C-alpha cells in the first residue's frame, strides 16, 4: 500500500540556518503530495502541496518539489525563524491520505 | 481557522466509560477522516467516511466506532476506555476527490483516568 517515510527528528537549528526535511514515498498510482505543519497545541495546517511530477509547492518561505524519479518531496527553507518551531508531516493522497511519522523542528534564537 | 469544528476540546473520563467525539466538516466537504495522535505513536489513521459511507479503515480498535450522518457531520464513539486511549483525536475533512488535501480541526484531547 501507499506509505510515506520522513527523516526522524528531532532537529534543532539556530535562527537563519537552512532546513531540509527528507521525505520519500511509495505509491501505486500518481498521488498528490503535501506538507503539513503542527504548531504546539494546535491542529495540523496545510503548508504546501504538489499535485504532479516536477510541481513545486511553496508557502511562507518553504518549498518542496515533487520528484517522481526519486519518489521524494523534501521540504526546504533557506533561513528559519524561531516561529518555525513545529512538527512537520509529509503526506500523500492517492486513494487514501497517508502521513509520515512527523519531524519535530526546534529553532533557537 | 480551517472550517472544521470539533467538540469538545477537552474531555476527562474514567476507565471503562464511553465517550462521543463530534466533528463538523468544512462547508461542501463530503469526506471526513479521524486520526489519533499520541506521544509515542504519532498520527494514526482510524477511519474515513465519504458522503455517509465508510471509505477506508485504518488501525481502529473494535471498541471504537464512527459514523457520518446525512448532514455530513461525524461522530467517533470510544467505549470501554483504557488509560492508553488518552490522546488527541483529530478530525479532518476534504472534498473527497482523489488527491485532494484535507483540512484539520483543532482536535479533542481525551484524558482517561
Amino acid at each position: 500500500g501507499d506509505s510515506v517515510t520522513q527523516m526522524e527528528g528531532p532537529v534543532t537549528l539556530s535562527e537563519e540556518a537552512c532546513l531540509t526535511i527528507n521525505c520519500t514515498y511509495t505509491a501505486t498510482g500518481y498521488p498528490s503530495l503535501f506538507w503539513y505543519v503542527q504548531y504546539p497545541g494546535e491542529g495540523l495546517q496545510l503548508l504546501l502541496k504538489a499535485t504532479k511530477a516536477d510541481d513545486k509547492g511553496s508557502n511562507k518561505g518553504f518549498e518542496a518539489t515533487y520528484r517522481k524519479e526519486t519518489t521524494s518531496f523534501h521540504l526546504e527553507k533557506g533561513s528559519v525563524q524561531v516561529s518555525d518551531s513545529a512538527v512537520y508531516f509529509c503526506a500523500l493522497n492517492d486513494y487514501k491520505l497517508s502521513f509520515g511519522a512527523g519531524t519535530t523542528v526546534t529553532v533557537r534564537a | 481557522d480551517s472550517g472544521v469544528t470539533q467538540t469538545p476540546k477537552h474531555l476527562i473520563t474514567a476507565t471503562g466509560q464511553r465517550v462521543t467525539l463530534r466533528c463538523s466538516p468544512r462547508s461542501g466537504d463530503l469526506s471526513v477522516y479521524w486520526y489519533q495522535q499520541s506521544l509515542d505513536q504519532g498520527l494514526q489513521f482510524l477511519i474515513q467516511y465519504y458522503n455517509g459511507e465508510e471509505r477506508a479503515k485504518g488501525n481502529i480498535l473494535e471498541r471504537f466506532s464512527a459514523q457520518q450522518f446525512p448532514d455530513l457531520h461525524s461522530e467517533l464513539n470510544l467505549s470501554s476506555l483504557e488509560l492508553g486511549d488518552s490522546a488527541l483525536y483529530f478530525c479532518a475533512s476534504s472534498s473527497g476527490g482523489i488527491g485532494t488535501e484535507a483540512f484539520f480541526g483543532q482536535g479533542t484531547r481525551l484524558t482517561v483516568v
Side-chain angles (χ1 to χ4, degrees):
Chain A
D2 294 357
S3 66
V4 177
T5 302
Q6 62 181 100
M7 67 182 275
E8 294 184 13
V11 174
T12 302
L13 305 166
S14 296
E15 223 170 10
E16 298 184 5
C18 297
L19 171 67
T20 299
I21 304 176
N22 292 334
C23 171
T24 57
Y25 68 91
T26 303
T28 52
Y30 301 95
S32 294
L33 301 175
F34 311 96
W35 277 100
Y36 284 81
V37 59
Q38 184 179 27
Y39 298 106
E42 298 185 12
L44 279 72
Q45 301 174 25
L46 180 66
L47 181 59
L48 53 82
K49 68 177 183 179
T51 57
K52 60 184 188 299
D54 299 325
D55 266 3
K56 177 186 278 189
S58 61
N59 186 26
K60 298 182 181 180
F62 290 89
E63 292 184 341
T65 301
Y66 191 141
R67 302 283 188 202
K68 190 168 179 293
E69 62 277 11
T70 54
T71 61
S72 65
F73 192 55
H74 304 323
L75 182 68
E76 298 176 327
K77 186 173 186 181
S79 176
V80 295
Q81 306 300 313
V82 172
S83 56
D84 294 323
S85 297
V87 182
Y88 293 83
F89 293 89
C90 185
L92 67 81
N93 192 354
D94 190 350
Y95 61 93
K96 189 177 84 169
L97 184 59
S98 301
F99 283 86
T103 302
T104 300
V105 173
T106 301
V107 180
R108 294 181 176 166
Chain B
D1 182 6
S2 67
V4 178
T5 303
Q6 287 187 249
T7 57
K9 286 189 169 48
H10 302 276
L11 200 48
I12 301 175
T13 190
T15 54
Q17 294 299 305
R18 171 189 166 97
V19 297
T20 297
L21 312 184
R22 182 187 169 101
C23 170
S24 294
R26 288 191 326 156
S27 177
D29 281 353
L30 299 178
S31 193
V32 168
Y33 307 78
W34 285 99
Y35 291 86
Q36 180 192 55
Q37 186 178 40
S38 53
L39 281 175
D40 59 346
Q41 292 200 353
L43 198 63
Q44 298 290 320
F45 168 68
L46 297 178
I47 199 163
Q48 180 196 359
Y49 283 86
Y50 177 79
N51 204 18
E53 299 291 325
E54 183 182 303
R55 178 177 260 189
K57 207 166 192 175
N59 301 319
I60 187 166
L61 301 172
E62 286 191 10
R63 299 184 286 110
F64 296 0
S65 65
Q67 56 183 320
Q68 186 179 28
F69 294 87
D71 67 353
L72 301 177
H73 90 272
S74 179
E75 292 180 358
L76 178 66
N77 299 297
L78 315 176
S79 62
S80 302
L81 284 167
E82 302 174 358
L83 295 178
D85 297 327
S86 296
L88 265 171
Y89 291 84
F90 286 108
C91 168
S93 76
S94 75
S95 64
I98 291 177
T100 55
E101 63 268 39
F103 295 86
F104 280 74
Q106 291 295 296
T108 293
R109 180 172 292 281
L110 174 66
T111 303
V112 183
V113 297

